[in-house]
Amino acid sequence: MISKNITINIPTDMEARPVALLVQVASQFESNIYVEVEDKKVNAKSIMGMMTLSIVPGEEVTIITKGVDEEEAMDKIEEYLTTSK
């Protein structure tokens, strides 16, 4: 299991399109992937769950990956969340 704090650096609020893209990135991996914000923890592969977080640029979240490809999953999720598009 890997847990990492990441600061969001996506230029728009995590509305439908950025959330859908994050879910697509997470869904490429076999590992379980979760996003934690304050007291909420949701499956990164669930678009409805991710929408409930209302993540904004500059906010810090905790990403948790667990499984056979957890390192690659963490790298790709971090790359997506921290690379301004």
Side-chain angles (χ1 to χ4, degrees):
M1 181 177 88
I2 301 172
S3 177
K4 191 172 200 178
N5 292 334
I6 296 174
T7 301
I8 304 298
N9 188 30
I10 295 176
T12 59
D13 290 351
M14 290 290 284
E15 294 175 358
R17 188 175 190 296
V19 168
L21 291 174
L22 175 59
V23 170
Q24 284 180 349
V25 171
S27 295
Q28 296 173 16
F29 300 97
E30 191 175 322
S31 293
N32 293 319
I33 304 170
Y34 296 95
V35 178
E36 283 185 341
V37 178
E38 296 175 7
D39 62 342
K40 291 183 183 178
K41 179 179 178 179
V42 301
N43 184 338
K45 298 177 185 179
S46 165
I47 194 159
M48 295 307 290
M50 289 300 301
M51 292 295 288
T52 66
L53 295 179
S54 303
I55 299 170
V56 295
E59 187 169 6
E60 186 174 273
V61 300
T62 301
I63 307 297
I64 301 163
T65 59
K66 183 177 183 180
V68 296
D69 53 1
E70 63 190 26
E71 290 182 22
E72 185 182 0
M74 179 62 77
D75 291 345
K76 290 295 182 184
I77 296 290
E78 182 175 18
E79 180 182 335
Y80 176 74
L81 292 176
T82 61
T83 305
S84 182
K85 307 238 185 301

